[in-house]
């Protein structure tokens, strides 16, 4: 446990908090460093400090590499990666990020490697898309075997795994990844705050098939964290109409909505109408179409106001990766897992005593499945849940997302999975073979991974946008495209650009408009 203790001390020093005992994390650390073939599910609420486990395990690997040489921390969203990387650099100085738009090229050779699910899958497929031209020209293989080997000798941690299992565009790739990793005996840990029984069964099936020590850990009511949280008065109410009408001046407020457009509209009204009771510098907007440096400056601003009144208006980008505590949260309706992530920002810190959530029943559902949204609202009204005490909401999560492993399996394209699994596992399939097969699949319009997002260059930084948003911005004369096509005549052209970028083609997409230092790309 020496590495665990050292990790706690370093984080406490950098973050400025008094360490609180976390029996669940200690048990998880002990299991992952003592079992010869561990598969762990850590089901702990938001704010529990699950990321500490990755830091502690990375420190452990520096002194004892008998079970794993390093840690790879896989996340579904870039926004969370930026927060973890910042903390890792400040406290330990031994991590590296790898994701679309990052400039560095490397294998997973650092004690702690933080990456997105998409990039991790490409690496497991032995394809470094940045080396695509050299691979296609037959000049090199782009680290193919070496990159995959650096994964197979690591401990892999999937953080916020529910995002990967519930996203139809990611489900097939993620199922393939879990199948392959467990067939190779790679130590695996899954961390999430919201895991229905169907997802547990999904992981357990692969663990049992390949002879793992399988364990599920969740805090009980004797856990110090749970005892503290149960003392807080957190209420959940429902309302209709204008979200800003529920804001309470003099308190820390957060308004979380389902689209960027809705967030910007609310922000514009909040800063122009004195009736809402906030000085302009205390009204903060954050969403996914902002540059990394812009988001960092906003988070710094928010942290300076942590004990003062403010009005934060944001999108799903706030659900994870933005550490703040609110007294009042007004949120658009959403599925239970998203609501729990949002509620996790209520009275989040030690010393906070109460929090109130207001769910807008008539809000647009945005990108979510309407049946899951409606199922969530119906059930949440019928029971008393506490957003940071898993025993109060686990059954509700299962009811909304499905009790059987088949709830995941039905999202998986078995034909695509078979091809991806063969490319991963067949040693005769090198990077050039993988690239050829992937190009054929993409040419047919097969979505291998998440929706072919487009890295939009804004100065020296990158903002990821959807092909639909790219087409909209291009239609407004705010974007230039170099390579593949120069003019986007229809939405299909934007998808063509996105697919070419996903395959590593020499394509540049440049934002030519004036970047809004308050609102980002809107």
């Amino acid at each position: 446990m020496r590495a665990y203790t050292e990790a706690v001390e370093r984080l406490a020093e950098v973050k400025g908090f008094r360490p609180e005992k976390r029996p669940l994390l200690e048990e998880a650390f002990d299991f992952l460093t003592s079992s010869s073939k561990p598969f762990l599910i850590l089901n702990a609420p938001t704010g529990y400090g699950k990321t500490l486990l990755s830091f502690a395990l990375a420190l452990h690997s520096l002194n004892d590499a008998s079970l794993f040489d390093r840690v790879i921390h896989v996340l579904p969203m870039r926004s969370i990666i930026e927060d973890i990387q910042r903390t890792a650099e400040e406290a330990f100085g031994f991590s590296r990020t790898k994701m679309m738009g990052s400039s560095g090229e490397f294998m997973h050779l650092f004690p702690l490697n933080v990456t997105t699910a998409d990039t991790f899958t490409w690496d497991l497929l032995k394809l470094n898309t940045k080396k695509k031209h050299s691979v296609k020209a037959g000049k090199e293989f782009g680290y193919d075997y070496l990159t995959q080997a650096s994964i197979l000798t690591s401990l892999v941690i999937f953080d916020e795994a529910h995002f990967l299992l519930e996203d139809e565009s990611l489900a097939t790739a993620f199922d393939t990844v879990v199948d392959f990793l467990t067939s190779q005996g790679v130590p695996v840990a899954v961390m999430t705050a919201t895991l229905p029984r169907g997802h547990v069964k999904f992981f357990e099936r692969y663990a049992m098939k390949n002879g793992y020590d399988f364990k599920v850990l969740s805090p009980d009511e004797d856990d110090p964290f749970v005892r503290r949280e149960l003392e807080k008065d957190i209420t959940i109410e429902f309302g209709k109409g204008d979200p800003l009408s529920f804001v309470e001046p003099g308190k820390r407020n957060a308004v979380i909505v389902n689209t960027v457009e809705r967030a910007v509209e609310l922000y514009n009204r909040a800063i122009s109408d004195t009736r809402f009771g906030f000085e302009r510098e205390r009204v903060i907007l954050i969403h996914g179409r902002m540059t990394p440096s812009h988001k960092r400056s906003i988070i710094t601003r928010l942290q300076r106001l942590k004990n003062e009144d403010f009005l934060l208006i944001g999108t799903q980008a706030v659900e994870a990766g933005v550490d703040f505590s609110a007294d009042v949260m007004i949120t658009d309706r959403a599925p239970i897992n998203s609501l729990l992530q949002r509620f996790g920002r209520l009275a989040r810190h030690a010393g906070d005593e109460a929090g109130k959530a207001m769910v807008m029943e008539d809000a647009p559902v945005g990108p979510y499945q309407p049946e899951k949204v409606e199922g969530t609202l119906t059930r949440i009204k019928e029971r008393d849940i506490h957003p940071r005490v898993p025993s109060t909401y686990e059954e509700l999560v299962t009811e909304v997302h499905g009790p059987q492993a088949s709830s995941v399996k039905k999202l998986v394209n078995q034909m695509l999975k078979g091809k991806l699994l063969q490319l991963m596992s067949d040693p005769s399939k090198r990077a050039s073979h993988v690239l050829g097969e992937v190009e054929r699949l993409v040419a047919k319009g097969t979505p291998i991974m998440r929706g072919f997002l487009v890295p939009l260059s804004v100065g020296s930084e990158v903002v990821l946008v959807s092909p639909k948003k790219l087409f909209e911005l291009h239609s407004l004369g705010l974007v230039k495209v170099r390579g593949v096509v120069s003019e986007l005549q229809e939405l299909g052209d934007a998808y063509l650009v996105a697919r070419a970028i996903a395959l590593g083609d020499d394509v540049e997409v440049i934002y030519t408009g004036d970047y809004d230092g308050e609102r980002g790309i809107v």
Side-chain angles (χ1 to χ4, degrees):
M1 296 295 292
R2 184 173 61 184
Y4 178 88
T5 303
E6 183 179 348
V8 171
E9 291 173 350
R10 289 199 194 183
L11 279 178
E13 182 180 353
V14 167
K15 292 289 189 177
F17 65 84
R18 180 178 296 175
E20 182 180 63
K21 193 170 180 62
R22 290 284 187 272
L24 202 67
L25 296 183
E26 293 179 15
E27 186 177 354
F29 179 87
D30 182 63
F31 174 68
L32 290 169
T33 56
S34 60
S35 170
S36 60
K37 202 173 182 183
F39 196 121
L40 172 71
I41 293 181
L42 180 61
N43 190 18
T46 57
Y48 194 84
K50 296 184 290 293
T51 311
L52 167 63
L53 190 61
S54 289
F55 299 144
L57 291 165
L59 279 176
H60 174 83
S61 71
L62 288 171
N63 298 311
D64 183 354
S66 59
L67 297 176
F68 51 89
D69 292 340
R70 65 198 67 82
V71 174
I72 303 177
H73 192 116
V74 183
L75 287 152
M77 296 183 291
R78 291 170 60 99
S79 59
I80 319 176
I81 284 183
E82 291 158 2
D83 182 64
I84 290 178
Q85 174 64 11
R86 186 166 53 250
T87 300
E89 287 177 351
E90 292 173 355
F92 306 100
F94 59 23
S95 68
R96 183 68 65 89
T97 58
K98 188 176 186 184
M99 54 188 173
M100 180 186 290
S102 62
S103 57
E105 293 181 358
F106 66 96
M107 293 175 283
H108 301 278
L109 298 178
F110 294 83
L112 177 62
N113 306 269
V114 190
T115 186
T116 61
D118 306 73
T119 299
F120 181 77
T121 304
W122 286 125
D123 286 343
L124 208 54
L125 279 164
K126 300 170 285 191
L127 181 61
N128 182 334
T129 55
K130 289 191 175 183
K131 295 281 188 178
K132 183 246 186 183
H133 297 293
S134 297
V135 171
K136 196 166 187 176
K139 295 179 179 178
E140 61 174 303
F141 289 105
Y143 315 143
D144 54 356
Y145 289 145
L146 298 175
T147 303
Q148 189 187 76
S150 71
I151 295 173
L152 298 182
T153 55
S154 303
L155 184 151
V156 178
I157 295 178
F158 294 107
D159 199 349
E160 303 297 353
H162 61 280
F163 284 105
L164 304 175
L165 289 165
E166 291 156 17
D167 187 329
E168 189 171 354
S169 61
L170 283 173
T172 298
F174 187 57
D175 185 23
T176 308
V177 164
V178 175
D179 193 344
F180 180 66
L181 290 177
T182 52
S183 73
Q184 302 299 309
V186 175
V188 175
V190 174
M191 303 195 304
T192 180
T194 55
L195 200 67
R197 281 198 300 274
H199 294 178
V200 175
K201 291 178 181 178
F202 163 81
F203 290 116
E204 185 177 18
R205 184 182 66 220
Y206 284 120
M208 295 298 99
K209 173 185 173 183
N210 293 288
Y212 277 79
D213 295 331
F214 183 74
K215 179 175 282 193
V216 180
L217 293 177
S218 185
D220 58 31
E221 293 191 2
D222 291 328
D223 188 289
F225 176 88
V226 173
R227 287 204 308 268
R228 166 163 54 86
E229 295 303 308
L230 282 170
E231 293 176 357
K232 296 179 180 179
D233 180 20
I234 296 181
T235 60
I236 301 172
E237 301 176 9
F238 298 86
K240 295 181 180 180
D242 181 4
L244 293 178
S245 67
F246 296 97
V247 166
E248 298 185 21
K251 294 186 177 181
R252 299 171 299 175
N253 293 260
V255 179
I256 312 300
V257 296
N258 292 340
T259 65
V260 173
E261 289 72 21
R262 184 163 159 85
V264 172
E265 185 271 327
L266 291 173
Y267 175 76
N268 288 338
R269 286 201 289 120
I271 62 175
S272 62
D273 194 332
T274 57
R275 289 178 303 166
F276 298 120
F278 289 90
E279 299 172 5
R280 182 162 181 158
E281 60 268 22
R282 294 180 182 270
V283 182
I284 298 169
L285 173 70
I286 187 166
H287 57 72
R289 292 208 296 268
M290 292 175 163
T291 63
S293 63
H294 187 181
K295 281 189 283 189
R296 282 195 296 272
S297 68
I298 291 170
I299 292 170
T300 300
R301 229 174 106 200
L302 185 61
Q303 289 172 341
R304 284 201 299 264
L305 292 170
K306 65 180 179 180
N307 294 318
E308 303 177 39
D309 63 315
F310 60 76
L311 172 56
L312 170 67
I313 299 172
T315 62
Q316 297 93 323
V318 176
E319 287 182 18
V322 181
D323 184 14
F324 70 95
S325 181
D327 305 309
V328 178
M329 173 166 289
I330 301 102
T331 170
D332 281 356
R333 55 183 177 160
I336 182 60
N337 57 352
S338 291
L339 286 184
L340 286 169
Q341 291 287 339
R342 298 175 191 188
F343 294 163
R345 271 66 197 161
L346 269 175
R348 180 178 176 87
H349 297 149
D352 293 335
E353 296 179 354
K356 182 174 77 174
M358 178 65 66
V359 181
M360 305 308 298
E361 294 185 84
D362 57 347
V365 297
Y368 302 113
Q369 296 177 25
E371 62 273 16
K372 289 191 175 183
V373 174
E374 292 302 326
T376 294
L377 264 61
T378 298
R379 290 174 173 87
I380 233 174
K381 291 177 180 179
E382 295 172 348
R383 61 198 81 185
D384 184 20
I385 71 167
H386 192 298
R388 285 196 289 282
V389 181
S391 61
T392 69
Y393 60 72
E394 285 174 338
E395 190 62 33
L396 193 158
V397 171
T398 292
E399 289 173 8
V400 170
H401 293 287
Q404 303 299 325
S406 57
S407 63
V408 178
K409 190 175 181 180
K410 68 182 180 182
L411 297 177
V412 176
N413 180 331
Q414 294 298 331
M415 183 179 297
L416 174 60
K417 178 186 173 180
K419 289 182 179 179
L420 295 178
L421 197 58
Q422 182 187 24
L423 293 172
M424 285 182 188
S425 58
D426 187 345
S428 70
K429 303 295 184 184
R430 299 204 65 178
S432 53
H433 300 100
V434 174
L435 178 60
E437 186 59 38
V438 167
E439 286 182 329
R440 284 190 287 274
L441 289 168
V442 170
K444 293 178 182 178
T446 304
I448 298 175
M449 275 171 280
R450 182 171 25 207
F452 302 120
L453 292 175
V454 178
L456 183 60
S457 295
V458 183
S460 61
E461 299 185 90
V462 166
V463 174
L464 292 180
V465 298
S466 67
K468 184 177 179 181
K469 181 55 61 176
L470 170 63
F471 182 66
E472 179 185 325
L473 293 170
H474 184 272
S475 300
L476 294 170
L478 299 174
V479 165
K480 282 186 179 179
V481 180
R482 296 174 181 165
V484 187
V485 293
S486 57
E487 294 297 323
L488 308 182
Q489 302 293 338
E490 56 186 12
L491 182 58
D493 293 334
Y495 279 97
L496 182 64
V497 170
R499 289 167 184 166
I501 291 172
L503 290 171
D505 283 334
D506 188 13
V507 181
E508 190 175 13
V509 183
I510 305 165
Y511 184 69
T512 57
D514 293 327
Y515 183 83
D516 191 319
E518 282 186 84
R519 299 167 184 82
I521 297 174
V522 298

